[in-house]
Amino acid sequence: MQKPRSSKAGHGSVEGGRQHLLAEPRRMKILEWLQEEGSARVRDLSAAFAVSEATIRQDLERLDADGYISREHGGAYLRSIPQQVQSMSLQHGQNMDRKKLIGAVAASLVRNNETIIIDSGTTTTQFAENLKSRQELNIITNALNIALILGAIPTNTVHMPAGQFKAPTLSLSGEKSAEFFVGIYAEKLFLATAGISFEAGLTYPAIGDIYVKRAMVKAASRVYLLADSTKIGKVSFSSLGGVELVHTLITDNGITKADREAFERRGVEVLVAD
């Protein structure tokens, strides 16, 4: 399968104040949506991307032909979902070498007996794998796989919110999950993102996660963003807020000098894993 090329903001025209992506960037964002949510209805995609349902059906037909999704009446779903849930593993494995380095650096910032929040995602999963030597951690996470990794350590306490199960990210999400974090205090949040830019901020493929991520940010004294350098400059569908929400960015040595300086001018500490 040939992967659609990654897209950034500005691909397409703007009508009535809404951006209309060209076909290939739009299909890439639809695929990102499905990789995050597992499934989607044609009418929801049509409204989100401000194109006709007929256009969305054509996009889904192409993604189906390329082997990424399976179409169903009124929508589509990601083909890898059943195997992913059965194995309790995340399937998006791009840039894993970078993510492992980032996870190790992030874990070095955690001390025994701390209360921490861990977001779902492939990079935060690598972070969790590096926490196995810590003791007496009080962990709050919306990720089932991370709960299993760290809950297996007898001295740890793991808390999980309620919410809607999202198979592609093995996570719980939505407004019910967000409510769990009201009144919670944690020293540190280790947050994931699909894209980060100085214009759009921290962005994600779907709207549902914004509620819980915003609640996580409010519950934490310090926010660490775990993002490999390929996500810098990338814009996904919905924005959590500006980069100023983050105290520290942990990334890899692919970050440019200009980008690093731009983060630091905005008050964001940058730690480079290499």
Side-chain angles (χ1 to χ4, degrees):
M1 294 183 295
Q2 182 179 0
K3 184 174 181 179
R5 292 193 294 271
S6 178
S7 61
K8 297 186 180 181
H11 288 38
S13 61
V14 176
E15 295 179 10
R18 300 190 69 180
Q19 184 180 51
H20 294 257
L21 295 172
L22 298 176
E24 188 175 351
R26 185 179 61 249
R27 288 172 191 146
M28 182 64 187
K29 288 188 180 293
I30 290 172
L31 181 58
E32 288 177 354
W33 181 312
L34 289 165
Q35 287 174 334
E36 188 75 15
E37 295 292 319
S39 63
R41 294 186 178 278
V42 168
R43 64 171 180 265
D44 294 332
L45 294 172
S46 173
F49 292 97
V51 295
S52 69
E53 292 190 6
T55 297
I56 292 295
R57 290 189 189 96
Q58 291 173 359
D59 291 336
L60 296 179
E61 286 173 2
R62 174 63 66 85
L63 291 171
D64 191 351
D66 288 344
Y68 292 106
I69 68 168
S70 293
R71 292 184 63 211
E72 59 181 5
H73 180 68
Y77 62 90
L78 201 65
R79 288 187 180 178
S80 62
I81 291 299
Q83 299 91 333
Q84 185 165 317
V85 173
Q86 289 170 12
S87 64
M88 288 298 287
S89 62
L90 300 177
Q91 299 298 314
H92 319 319
Q94 299 93 342
N95 306 308
M96 286 306 298
D97 290 344
R98 302 182 188 197
K99 293 176 181 182
K100 289 177 180 179
L101 291 172
I102 292 168
V105 169
S108 72
L109 304 173
V110 177
R111 301 184 298 272
N112 292 339
N113 301 298
E114 283 193 314
T115 297
I116 61 174
I117 302 172
I118 308 176
D119 193 11
S120 61
T122 51
T123 311
T124 51
T125 296
Q126 292 303 314
F127 162 66
E129 291 283 359
N130 280 278
L131 287 179
K132 291 179 178 178
S133 62
R134 303 295 186 278
Q135 300 292 319
E136 304 287 347
L137 292 178
N138 195 27
I139 300 151
I140 306 140
T141 184
N142 64 329
L144 294 174
N145 63 320
I146 290 175
L148 291 173
I149 291 168
L150 296 177
I153 299 168
T155 63
N156 287 342
T157 302
V158 177
H159 307 270
M160 296 196 72
Q164 178 184 355
F165 175 59
K166 291 177 54 177
T169 55
L170 300 174
S171 66
L172 297 165
S173 186
E175 294 186 60
K176 288 294 185 183
S177 292
E179 291 171 3
F180 175 85
F181 289 91
V182 176
I184 294 291
Y185 171 80
E187 285 101 337
K188 297 166 183 173
L189 162 63
F190 295 89
L191 182 67
T193 189
I196 179 170
S197 81
F198 302 113
E199 294 77 23
L202 281 62
T203 57
Y204 301 86
I207 296 172
D209 278 350
I210 298 299
Y211 301 109
V212 66
K213 293 179 192 297
R214 186 173 291 132
M216 286 177 172
V217 169
K218 289 181 179 179
S221 178
R222 189 169 185 87
V223 179
Y224 295 87
L225 181 67
L226 279 56
D228 67 77
S229 60
T230 65
K231 294 181 178 179
I232 299 172
K234 183 179 178 182
V235 177
S236 196
F237 183 73
S238 55
S239 177
L240 175 64
V243 298
E244 294 81 6
L245 289 173
V246 175
H247 296 96
T248 301
L249 167 66
I250 307 176
T251 189
D252 59 79
N253 59 15
I255 187 174
T256 66
K257 180 181 179 182
D259 282 339
R260 179 169 187 165
E261 291 174 348
F263 280 110
E264 291 172 343
R265 283 197 301 272
R266 288 164 172 81
V268 179
E269 177 189 24
V270 178
L271 298 181
V272 176
D274 55 16

